Amino acid sequence: MKDKDTPMIVMMVKLDNFLAFRDFSLNMSYPKKIVKSYIKDEYLKDSPKFRYKRLIILMGSNATGKTSLGQMFNHIFNFMIRRQTDNLLSSVCDKSRNAHFSIDFIVQDKTAVLYRLEVLIEPLATSKEPVIRAKLREVQIKRQDSYESACSRLEKQEVNYSDYIEVLRRIPLFGFFFSYPMDVLPNTVPKDNSGEYRDILEKVLMVLDSAITHVDIVPEAQNAYNIHMQNGRNVLIQEGQVVDTSILSSGTKAGIGIAHILTAMKGHSCGFYYCDERFSYIQSEIERAILSVMIELLGEGEQLFFTTHNTDILNLSLPKHTYTFMYKRQTEQGSEIRCVNASDYLKRNTDSLKRAFENDTFSVLPDTRLIYGISGAQE
């Protein structure tokens, strides 16, 4: 990708027959204007009625689809921009029936355009070669448009499915960044010509481990940094990998990837960011501080998905529509992932989001009876 890619905003995604997503949808618009919101400008600059969530905090128990959703976004974006099909095809759950996804998104260059891409994958079990068809609708967003009014014009367009390669050529290039709870892959280490990454990496790691004194660049190595400790020991990071993993804690090692996404956001190099459970080993107050910085770093037309298990995040002064809870239910067809928006339940500013979550207002808390049954405890 270029140093800076055109921002894109996701407004809606629908998934059917991918992983555990069946008839799944997630909407990133919101109907009510928020006065004095902590998150600024959650609308298009030239179309103030066109409101979108700049920050989407995804919460839920283990195996409820938070990471899977990020993976599907990644597969879809790489399909759209790079024509990559392998990961998309491998994500089809039931190979004997159609798989389908639809995504509404905005790409802003000189003007803002709302696109709707629909992709149909025919049953893989009945064909030697995968058959992928697509159709694309697009409308220029007008000044008085809301998301709903622009969608109504989209839906009036009669478009047929056709060869996906020809359809995808009409989609402008856009930038995206994914950060998962794993070691940074070698090809994702940022180029640090200005020293920005080193500076951010040093600040993050020094907060995570008070024994770290400073971080410097190793000039004779490719993408390498030296972490200096108070006891005189050094830890080498090269291409995002810690050479001696026994010295740093799990939380400190997680800080390497966190510094990467902060660098990308500060440089506005992508526009769409998905930060997935990078803070599992990090103290709650530090996670809250870094999320606050991420919100401040969000530029015009940029969007951040942030997944977490930390319920302290529910106490932040954020709009209710920021929070989406994911859960998995069992049906006759198998597991299905669903989501619920906090703003669908809590309408008043004075409603306590954390209290509602702890009281299971959203019906998303896990059933822990089997755990208590290990000790013979009774409810």
Side-chain angles (χ1 to χ4, degrees), residues 273-287:
Y273 303 91
Y274 200 101
C275 183
D276 183 38
E277 294 183 20
R278 274 290 187 180
F279 298 85
S280 299
Y281 301 102
I282 291 177
Q283 197 263 349
S284 174
E285 191 60 34
I286 297 175
E287 179 178 2

Side-chain angles (χ1 to χ4, degrees), residues 74-85 88 101 117 119 132-134 164 168:
N74 201 353
H75 298 342
I76 289 170
F77 293 166
N78 278 303
F79 170 75
M80 292 165 63
I81 299 301
R82 302 188 177 104
R83 318 297 189 256
Q84 294 179 1
T85 62
L88 196 61
F101 77 79
L117 174 67
V119 173
I132 306 175
R133 294 184 292 160
Y164 76 90
L168 296 181

